[in-house]
Amino acid sequence: MDGDEVNIRMENLLKVFKEDTREIVALKGFSLDVVDGELVCLLGPSGCGKTTVLRIAAGLETKSGGHVSVSGEEVSGAGPNRGVVFQEFALFPWRTVRKNIEFGLEIKKMSADEREAISSKYIDLVNLEGFENVHPQKLSGGMKQRVGIARALANDPAVLLMDEPFGALDAQTRNLMQKELLRIWSATKKTVLFVTHSVDEAVFLADRIVVMTARPGMVKKIISVALPRPRERTSADFITIRSEVLQVLEAEFKKTMMREMSDGGVEHKA
Amino acid sequence: MKSIVRLARGVMSRNWRRVLLGGLSIAVFIGAWQAYSWYLNANDYGYAAYIPYPGEVAEAFLDSFVTTDATGLLMMDHIFASLKRIFLGFTLAFVIALPAGLLMGSYQTSEGLGMPIVEIFRPIPPLAWIPIFLVVLGHLWGPVAIVFFGIFFPILFNVMLGVKRVDPILIDAAKTLGAGRQHIFFKVVLPFTTPYLMTGIKVGLGIGWMCIVAAEMVGQYGGGVGYYIWAMNEFSLYDYVFAGIAVIAILGILTTGVAGQIERRLYIWMGMK
């Protein structure tokens, strides 16, 4: 079993945004290793830079310092070995479900037969049979994200980067999609980095939960969730871990709030 | 099977309704026209006002297709003369406005270079060019240039708008799926912009028809439906004037219809529908 190989390695990441004349340090000294086949949740207060971490790993955002490598290759720019699932779904509205899933395969210049075989496989995997020729606007939020997941997986990436993928869904659909993700994850054995602001979601999904500090974002604490799956949200163990994570987070939420209040004060003076 | 029958019946009854209402609408219009003509032509207002009756116009309409007019042309000749000018003006406008719009929507440098010129020419009504263009470019290319100006800006601005509205998250998604710059252009920006382009074309064609008729009226040479209307007016053949107007209405409807068909085919071909 190659389960202990590091797949995503992030070392000492630095990210500085320039806003007019001000420099905002979004990330500073952020380091994290994600092991092959692992499901890691990035959790933190809003504005802590968790999405920035994911976008840097995806190659959609440049870094100001540090290193990121995926499967041993240094990340420079976006590439098909890292599949990304977006909160906004980001489906191509002029393409059918099947054509959305085949987008990356077209770029790889696969033949129509090969493409169809692969897209059919992933349509089955995410349970979208019968919707192959439907356009995204006719789908519900949950179904849209199924397409998003299938589209990312069709490229057979080394890792799956998910940016609050269920954030736009209602609570019921969200719970269902979490279960679906675990099913798909165990079927594909992909390494998953999953950004969320929901403690509940993180405890339900993750092998490990990485709690980030308020800005500048770095790793505050890593909490392993050793509960067997499927997890029961109402079980005593679940609740124990959930409150442990909440405690770590709460201190950071307070810092964010304090900062926002002081920022507000500065604005009043200006 | 039953459901298919019910569906077919539903579609039929809806179509019947449309045909019935459409027919009623046109019948009321023609009736009002007939009444107005009666009323006006029965009273002497002391000037040569004459409104031809719908029947007379229909006769003149049919006659214009089989009998040559004072210039020795048939209506079809005039139609082709106008269509040729529209086609040339449209093609030129399309060929230049589409790439220009794509560039100006994509790059700030192109926009910075292009916008001042655009802003100088845009507020000028295309018809204002008639005197210059007819003299400088003659009776074919003069009206073509006027049509060009009418069609160019709607296409340019709609394409620019389309390119600017491309959702950045779609470009991000394409990148993560392995798309390079060319892929992003052909597989994301272009399909996203197509509906905007079609809007530009439809608006442009409408303006193009207005331009061509006006340019031909002033042009006085080389045929064209606008020329025909003006010539018939000079001869006080009002029923033929109305026939010419009817031809323009029909051509306008046909142009819009063809543009709509092309749009639909295009979307089907692109997999949008």
Side-chain angles (χ1 to χ4, degrees):
Chain A
M1 191 178 160
D2 56 354
D4 284 351
E5 243 169 76
V6 174
N7 201 333
I8 308 173
R9 169 158 282 170
M10 292 184 262
E11 280 175 307
N12 216 9
L13 278 187
L14 175 72
K15 178 67 189 181
V16 183
F17 286 108
K18 287 210 173 92
E19 202 175 82
D20 298 324
T21 51
R22 272 204 313 175
E23 286 197 336
I24 296 167
V25 183
L27 298 173
K28 195 179 180 183
F30 180 93
S31 298
L32 176 68
D33 284 348
V34 182
V35 166
D36 210 26
E38 197 179 19
L39 200 166
V40 170
C41 282
L42 265 183
L43 187 69
S46 63
C48 74
K50 51 192 191 294
T51 291
T52 308
V53 169
L54 187 120
R55 286 179 64 85
I56 290 173
L60 292 172
E61 193 91 64
T62 56
K63 54 191 184 299
S64 311
H67 294 282
V68 187
S69 64
V70 171
S71 309
E73 268 179 65
E74 185 79 17
V75 167
S76 63
N81 70 328
R82 282 147 290 143
V84 181
V85 179
F86 299 87
Q87 179 177 1
E88 305 88 338
F89 314 126
L91 303 179
F92 304 113
W94 56 89
R95 285 175 168 253
T96 59
V97 167
R98 184 186 288 285
K99 287 280 173 190
N100 260 285
I101 296 171
E102 290 182 2
F103 187 92
L105 309 176
E106 283 175 24
I107 285 168
K108 285 182 178 165
K109 295 204 159 74
M110 274 187 190
S111 71
D113 290 347
E114 280 178 286
R115 291 203 306 261
E116 196 174 328
I118 295 174
S119 58
S120 296
K121 176 180 152 192
Y122 287 101
I123 285 166
D124 285 355
L125 179 68
V126 299
N127 287 330
L128 277 175
E129 302 93 336
F131 293 94
E132 293 89 341
N133 300 319
V134 170
H135 283 84
Q137 79 254 29
K138 298 216 173 106
L139 300 178
S140 67
M143 286 163 86
K144 280 181 189 161
Q145 202 54 295
R146 286 171 194 266
V147 181
I149 293 169
R151 185 177 66 176
L153 287 172
N155 260 355
D156 196 22
V159 300
L160 203 55
L161 306 170
M162 308 183 82
D163 185 12
E164 304 200 30
F166 310 141
L169 306 179
D170 62 84
Q172 296 271 336
T173 313
R174 194 172 178 149
N175 285 356
L176 173 67
M177 287 303 289
Q178 288 165 1
K179 282 183 198 149
E180 286 288 281
L181 175 65
L182 289 175
R183 180 181 61 77
I184 292 163
W185 175 62
S186 64
T188 58
K189 305 199 165 49
K190 294 285 175 199
T191 310
V192 179
L193 183 61
F194 188 107
V195 166
T196 180
H197 60 254
S198 158
V199 176
D200 185 79
E201 187 167 69
V203 178
F204 187 78
L205 293 174
D207 290 323
R208 288 189 297 153
I209 298 170
V210 178
V211 182
M212 288 179 68
T213 63
R215 214 167 57 208
M218 56 186 115
V219 176
K220 171 148 177 133
K221 193 171 184 190
I222 297 180
I223 297 158
S224 290
V225 187
L227 301 176
R229 295 184 178 95
R231 291 170 184 166
E232 273 303 325
R233 287 171 209 271
T234 46
S235 76
D237 291 338
F238 192 98
I239 291 163
T240 310
I241 293 175
R242 195 165 165 267
S243 50
E244 184 192 344
V245 177
L246 261 174
Q247 260 177 9
V248 180
L249 251 185
E250 226 153 63
E252 294 308 318
F253 273 127
K254 270 183 196 147
K255 272 193 218 162
T256 311
M257 248 169 63
M258 296 292 280
R259 189 185 59 213
E260 272 169 9
M261 282 165 74
S262 71
D263 279 359
V266 171
E267 270 167 21
H268 270 293
K269 273 178 216 158
Chain B
M1 198 57 212
K2 253 184 194 167
S3 65
I4 292 172
V5 170
R6 205 174 307 139
L7 189 78
R9 221 176 263 157
V11 170
M12 285 278 274
S13 70
R14 228 173 311 159
N15 277 349
W16 271 112
R17 229 180 127 84
R18 266 181 50 191
V19 170
L20 216 71
L21 286 173
L24 187 68
S25 158
I26 291 169
V28 167
F29 169 71
I30 290 176
W33 175 6
Q34 180 81 31
Y36 185 66
S37 303
W38 267 330
Y39 171 75
L40 206 75
N41 300 334
N43 293 287
D44 186 2
Y45 286 99
Y47 55 89
Y50 178 74
I51 299 288
Y53 295 99
E56 287 177 312
V57 171
E59 237 174 84
F61 179 88
L62 294 173
D63 184 51
S64 67
F65 280 89
V66 290
T67 312
T68 54
D69 58 31
T71 54
L73 296 170
L74 290 172
M75 183 57 89
M76 272 331 256
D77 301 321
H78 292 294
I79 291 174
F80 280 123
S82 294
L83 281 178
K84 186 175 167 190
R85 290 173 177 133
I86 288 265
F87 177 77
L88 289 172
F90 169 77
T91 307
L92 279 175
F94 179 80
V95 164
I96 299 172
L98 176 61
L102 289 170
L103 273 173
M104 286 170 67
S106 305
Y107 302 106
Q108 292 204 331
T109 317
S110 317
E111 192 182 356
L113 280 171
M115 273 319 265
I117 300 171
V118 168
E119 287 301 340
I120 290 172
F121 285 98
R122 185 171 65 136
I124 303 170
L127 300 182
W129 297 105
I130 288 179
I132 301 171
F133 283 168
L134 286 182
V135 171
V136 176
L137 297 169
H139 294 281
L140 172 62
W141 292 101
V144 167
I146 292 152
V147 172
F148 170 86
F149 273 93
I151 298 181
F152 180 80
F153 292 109
I155 295 184
L156 181 81
F157 282 106
N158 276 287
V159 170
M160 263 177 81
L161 182 71
V163 174
K164 288 187 176 195
R165 290 250 174 102
V166 176
D167 196 344
I169 198 101
L170 292 182
I171 292 177
D172 280 353
K175 281 184 187 167
T176 66
L177 294 164
R181 287 168 65 99
Q182 269 197 357
H183 295 126
I184 290 172
F185 180 78
F186 285 108
K187 286 180 181 287
V188 183
V189 175
L190 212 53
F192 191 95
T193 310
T194 302
Y196 292 85
L197 169 67
M198 289 311 298
T199 303
I201 287 176
K202 282 190 280 189
V203 173
L205 282 175
I207 296 174
W209 270 114
M210 291 181 203
C211 291
I212 198 67
V213 170
E216 287 170 349
M217 281 182 172
V218 180
Q220 300 280 333
Y221 287 99
V225 184
Y227 164 82
Y228 177 87
I229 292 171
W230 196 257
M232 293 304 113
N233 184 51
E234 304 252 285
F235 297 131
S236 300
L237 296 170
Y238 297 119
D239 41 355
Y240 287 86
V241 170
F242 275 65
I245 292 171
V247 166
I248 290 171
I250 291 165
L251 287 177
I253 293 167
L254 284 180
T255 320
T256 317
V258 169
Q261 274 295 320
I262 292 173
E263 188 178 19
R264 254 193 42 209
R265 295 274 166 91
L266 194 67
Y267 289 166
I268 290 169
W269 175 70
M270 289 170 76
M272 286 193 201
K273 285 217 169 105

